[in-house]
């Protein structure tokens, strides 16, 4: 609820209108839209263009995994665990590399008449989808801006993706020691690339890994709700990623 929000006085007339029009209906109390910074919900300003660009990046992200022989040699169970654990930071790194930018706007509120007429009906048909908050999106954009400021080369991107993908700390891995060796190999290759490109910047390697760790803190639900929920509906994003990875034709999934 918004009882403690400083914006509790907003939309007062709307709340009164709702009370007057729905006083004879047996429904739950109206929930006013919270306008404070932390809870304000947002959506993409140009969903068609942004979702298409995001889908292209996601396809390239999965192709990156499929084209790595060292990844294909892993047990299938380990492949799926790494996919589920690492797809978000790899996807975000792809957004940075492809220079995909996006803008958000406040989520449009449903009309008061629609709320009154459909109250108690739409909730039974399908669960209400979560919406990204403005604060969460701003944290995401801050992480992306930090990477853009690094101006990574194609080789730096490639080896950093390998270091992110082969994460031996993912619980349940059968080949964790082998995966750890792959991560160390990718990190050594990244260091070797940095030396001739940035000979005077001894801290660049640590700086890159630090910013990469921030990408791992971005919740998958935020990325799914912001970039893919408008396209896939209620479909499970991990099932779709698995389908893409193994080229399975599953027509039962939502478009």
């Amino acid at each position: 609820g918004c009882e403690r929000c400083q914006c509790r006085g907003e939309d007062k007339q709307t709340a009164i209108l709702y009370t007057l029009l729905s006083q004879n209906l047996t429904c739950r109390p109206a929930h006013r839209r919270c306008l404070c910074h932390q809870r304000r919900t947002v959506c993409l300003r140009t969903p068609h263009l942004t979702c298409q660009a995001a889908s292209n990046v996601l396809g390239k992200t999965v192709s990156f995994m499929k084209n790595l022989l060292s990844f294909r040699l892993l047990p299938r169970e380990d492949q799926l665990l790494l996919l589920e654990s690492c797809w978000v930071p790899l996807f975000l790194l792809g957004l940075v590399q492809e220079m995909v930018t996006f803008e958000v706007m406040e989520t449009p509120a449903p009309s008061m008449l629609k709320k009154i007429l459909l109250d108690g009906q739409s909730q039974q048909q399908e669960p209400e989808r979560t919406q990204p908050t403005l604060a969460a999106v701003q944290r995401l954009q801050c992480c992306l801006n930090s990477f853009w400021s690094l101006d990574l080369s194609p080789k730096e991107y490639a080896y950093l993706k390998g270091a992110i993908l082969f994460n031996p700390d993912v619980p349940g891995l059968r080949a964790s020691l082998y995966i750890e060796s792959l991560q160390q190999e990718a990190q050594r290759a990244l260091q070797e690339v940095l030396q001739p490109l940035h000979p005077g910047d001894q801290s660049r390697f640590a700086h890159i890994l630090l910013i990469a760790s921030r990408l791992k803190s971005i919740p998958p639900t935020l990325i799914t709700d912001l970039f893919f929920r408008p396209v896939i509906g209620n479909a499970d994003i991990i099932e779709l990623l698995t389908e893409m990875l193994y080229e399975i034709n599953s027509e039962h999934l939502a478009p």
Side-chain angles (χ1 to χ4, degrees), residues 3-251:
E3 292 81 6
R4 297 184 180 178
C5 298
Q6 296 179 356
C7 60
R8 60 179 297 182
E10 299 288 344
D11 289 346
K12 185 176 181 181
Q13 294 179 348
T14 302
I16 295 175
L17 175 62
Y18 185 93
T19 302
L20 291 175
L21 293 177
S22 61
Q23 58 185 350
N24 294 327
L25 299 177
T26 56
C27 58
R28 296 177 301 175
H31 292 281
R32 290 196 296 255
R33 302 181 72 215
C34 180
L35 301 180
C36 66
H37 176 75
Q38 288 294 326
R39 302 185 185 186
R40 188 179 305 167
T41 59
V42 295
C43 60
L44 294 172
R45 185 174 295 276
T46 56
H48 176 71
L49 296 177
T50 305
C51 289
Q52 180 62 51
S55 297
N56 292 337
V57 171
L58 188 64
K60 292 181 179 180
T61 300
V62 177
S63 295
F64 167 77
M65 301 181 194
K66 293 169 61 175
N67 292 333
L68 287 177
L69 177 60
S70 52
F71 180 80
R72 298 202 307 268
L73 292 177
L74 292 174
R76 183 185 178 98
E77 296 85 350
D78 285 6
Q79 293 179 18
L80 293 175
L81 288 173
L82 292 178
L83 172 69
E84 183 173 359
S85 172
C86 304
W87 78 268
V88 169
L90 289 177
F91 166 76
L92 294 177
L93 203 57
L95 287 184
V96 177
Q97 188 173 12
E98 298 291 330
M99 298 296 292
V100 176
T101 59
F102 61 93
E103 295 181 358
V104 296
M105 63 180 185
E106 188 172 355
T107 306
S111 68
M112 188 56 55
L113 180 60
K114 182 178 180 181
K115 283 184 178 179
I116 296 172
L117 295 178
L118 300 182
D119 185 69
Q121 298 179 17
S122 60
Q123 296 166 357
Q124 296 176 1
Q125 294 174 359
E126 64 178 43
E128 185 179 357
R129 296 176 184 172
T130 58
Q131 291 287 344
T133 64
L134 178 59
V137 172
Q138 288 180 337
R139 286 194 295 270
L140 167 61
Q141 291 179 322
C142 182
C143 289
L144 299 180
N145 289 335
S146 297
F147 256 110
W148 274 315
S149 67
L150 291 174
D151 192 22
L152 300 180
S153 67
K155 286 187 176 181
E156 286 175 298
Y157 276 115
Y159 293 131
L160 179 57
K161 288 178 182 179
I164 292 175
L165 173 61
F166 296 115
N167 180 9
D169 297 326
V170 174
L173 292 173
R174 294 172 53 190
S176 57
L177 292 179
Y178 176 59
I179 292 172
E180 182 178 12
S181 68
L182 293 174
Q183 184 184 66
Q184 293 173 350
E185 182 180 341
Q187 291 176 346
R188 282 195 300 269
L190 177 59
Q191 282 184 307
E192 292 174 0
V193 168
L194 291 176
Q195 291 175 357
L197 292 178
H198 306 276
D201 191 352
Q202 302 298 324
S203 63
R204 184 174 174 85
F205 176 73
H207 192 196
I208 290 175
L209 294 185
L210 174 62
I211 298 180
S213 67
R214 296 174 186 170
L215 295 181
K216 299 178 183 179
S217 68
I218 302 297
T221 52
L222 170 63
I223 302 305
T224 304
D225 291 338
L226 184 63
F227 295 109
F228 302 111
R229 196 59 69 197
V231 178
I232 68 175
N234 293 324
D236 188 286
I237 187 66
I238 299 301
E239 289 185 11
L240 293 176
L241 288 169
T242 303
E243 176 185 352
M244 295 168 63
L245 183 62
Y246 298 113
E247 299 182 350
I248 302 171
N249 184 17
S250 300
E251 295 183 355

